[in-house]
Amino acid sequence: QVQLVESGGGLVQPGGSLRLSCAASGRFFSIYHIGWYRQAPGKQRDLIARITSGGMINYAESVTGRFTISRDNAKSTVYLQMNNLKPEDTAVYYCRADQGVGFDYWGQGTQVTVSS
């Protein structure tokens, strides 16, 4: 079993920045791929960024150029640096770990609100 805990959310003004963290229990094993998802009220949960165990990265078009996903294996943590935030980025942000097949694991989510 793997436990994931997101943190770093909060209230920020448009144009501001936040860094989200997804911390895994115990040692972060390099076999895990990590995706960041977000879900706004009444909307589906969308994948916005993903980093594989091998370092391959993909972003949704809506965040390309503004968000950066990275990992720190020594800290068993994956980050999402969010710059130039927009009101439409407001959502609950979740991380998900998987090995391509088999079990997957979700964090509890962290709220990001972008508003003046």
Side-chain angles (χ1 to χ4, degrees):
Q1 290 185 306
V2 177
Q3 181 178 336
L4 303 175
V5 178
E6 301 97 332
S7 62
L11 175 64
V12 65
Q13 293 184 338
S17 297
L18 286 172
R19 188 177 74 161
L20 305 184
S21 298
C22 174
S25 60
R27 179 177 175 269
F28 183 85
F29 296 101
S30 63
I31 60 174
Y32 283 101
H33 317 308
I34 301 293
W36 281 100
Y37 296 73
R38 68 185 182 189
Q39 186 170 26
K43 306 294 185 180
Q44 73 173 28
R45 187 173 297 184
D46 292 327
L47 175 66
I48 58 170
R50 179 173 170 83
I51 184 167
T52 70
S53 61
M56 183 177 181
I57 294 172
N58 296 99
Y59 298 103
E61 179 65 27
S62 59
V63 307
T64 296
R66 299 189 298 122
F67 291 11
T68 302
I69 189 171
S70 62
R71 67 198 307 162
D72 186 337
N73 188 56
K75 295 182 178 180
S76 298
T77 301
V78 171
Y79 302 98
L80 186 68
Q81 178 67 45
M82 306 186 296
N83 297 325
N84 192 24
L85 284 161
K86 306 175 185 297
E88 51 264 43
D89 296 319
T90 295
V92 178
Y93 285 70
Y94 301 88
C95 62
R96 174 184 179 265
D98 73 275
Q99 300 181 45
V101 296
F103 297 116
D104 65 338
Y105 306 93
W106 291 88
Q108 84 289 348
T110 185
Q111 176 72 48
V112 172
T113 302
V114 184
S115 176
S116 299

